[in-house]
Every structure is written in C-alpha cells, then in structure tokens.
Amino acid sequence: MSINIVLVEPEIPQNTGNIVRLCVATNSKLHLIKPFGFSVSDKHLKRAGLDYWNLAEINYYESLKDFFDKNKSANLFYSTTKAANTYTSMEYKENPFILFGKESKGLPEELVRNNEKNSIRIPIAEKMRSLNLSNSVAIVVYEILKQDDFKGLVKKGNLTKHI
C-alpha cells in the first residue's frame, strides 16, 4: 500500500519540511497544493526536511481543482476537526490519499460537508482547536501503517548498528 499525504495550501515551512522527512521515513508520497505560505526554497523548509528532499516523491498542483482533476480515481480521506469519524475507525485500503488543510483554517468546509463519510478526526481535549499539522499527519500515517502491519518498514532495531 502506498500512502499519499495531501497538503492543501500549507502555510508554515517547518511543518512541510517535517512532513517531507516523515514521507521518506514511511515510503509515503507527498502532494502539495498551491498557493503555499512560503517558497519551496525557504531555508526553514529545507532545514526541517534535512537532507531528505532528494529522496522524497513530491507532486505539485496549482489548485485543489487541479489535484482532483489529476487524481479522479483516488481513495480520498479528509482530515478535519469537524469530522464525526475518528481516524482509527476507518479502514485505509487501496493507496489512500489523506487531505490535510492549511494550518490557519483547515480544509474548506464545503469539501468536508460533501465528504462526511470519508472525513476523519483526531480526538483532542475540548479546550483545543487543533493539533500541529505535522503531528496530525504523523498520527494518521502511523495508524494506516499499523493497519498494514508496517509493511515495508524496519520493525526491529539493532543496538550495535548505531554505536
């Protein structure tokens, strides 16, 4: 299974950089939808992604419409604080695409309203609006990997290897 992380109009370069590193670590693909709140040459973006940029599979889109036009048969899920379903209650099969909205506003409400069945949320305390974007992506990605028994990832550490 190939996980597809879709960032809709990301605003904070450090979050996107962290997500690039996560994508490389989990063999996930990254889809970035413009406009961005930063330049892809931003030093904070590059620093957060360390030296993993050349290892990441990244697709760029001019708009949400462009993304949907190019991924018509995608198995889509929508991560939002407004969903009724928790991220652990879904079965992620057939190369899921998980959409995450911009840090300041999330996904467009109409998009979520029209896709309630495939909208997911991470439970948080009532006093909080949301989690950090890169943390949210990591939580959902690792749930999907867990459901697939972490196929393709190293599951066993080796103490002597790092000493």
Side-chain angles (χ1 to χ4, degrees):
M1 172 180 345
S2 176
I3 300 171
N4 294 275
I5 304 305
V6 183
L7 302 184
V8 180
E9 301 179 9
E11 299 169 313
I12 301 173
Q14 293 89 336
N15 284 336
T16 302
N18 288 338
I19 293 165
V20 165
R21 187 173 180 178
L22 174 74
C23 286
V24 173
T26 60
N27 298 315
S28 300
K29 297 175 185 170
L30 182 59
H31 303 263
L32 297 174
I33 300 174
K34 296 176 183 177
F36 308 141
F38 51 83
S39 161
V40 288
S41 63
D42 186 293
K43 68 179 180 178
H44 300 294
L45 179 73
K46 297 294 186 188
R47 187 177 312 143
L50 295 173
D51 55 349
Y52 298 105
W53 280 95
N54 61 326
L55 301 174
E57 185 176 336
I58 304 174
N59 298 295
Y60 296 91
Y61 304 89
E62 294 302 316
S63 65
L64 203 48
K65 181 184 180 324
D66 182 34
F67 169 79
F68 287 125
D69 287 347
K70 291 177 179 169
N71 295 284
K72 289 184 190 302
S73 62
N75 182 19
L76 302 169
F77 294 89
Y78 305 85
S79 182
T80 173
T81 59
K82 297 166 181 71
N85 305 309
T86 63
Y87 72 102
T88 57
S89 67
M90 303 300 262
E91 268 191 77
Y92 304 93
K93 295 182 178 179
E94 303 169 22
N95 305 320
F97 283 71
I98 316 299
L99 282 77
F100 295 86
K102 63 170 91 177
E103 289 91 340
S104 64
K105 294 182 182 181
L107 291 171
E109 269 196 48
E110 183 179 347
L111 186 63
V112 173
R113 197 176 300 112
N114 292 338
N115 296 283
E116 284 185 58
K117 183 181 157 203
N118 285 349
S119 291
I120 58 172
R121 74 184 316 267
I122 299 168
I124 56 174
E126 192 173 325
K127 61 187 167 197
M128 294 295 296
R129 281 190 316 274
S130 64
L131 292 174
N132 172 276
L133 177 62
S134 62
N135 291 340
S136 296
V137 172
I139 289 168
V140 174
V141 165
Y142 272 91
E143 171 62 23
I144 296 168
L145 290 167
K146 182 186 89 157
Q147 289 184 15
D148 200 32
D149 195 33
F150 301 101
K151 197 176 292 171
L153 300 182
V154 177
K155 293 190 268 186
K156 194 173 190 181
N158 182 350
L159 280 175
T160 58
K161 184 178 180 181
H162 300 290
I163 298 176

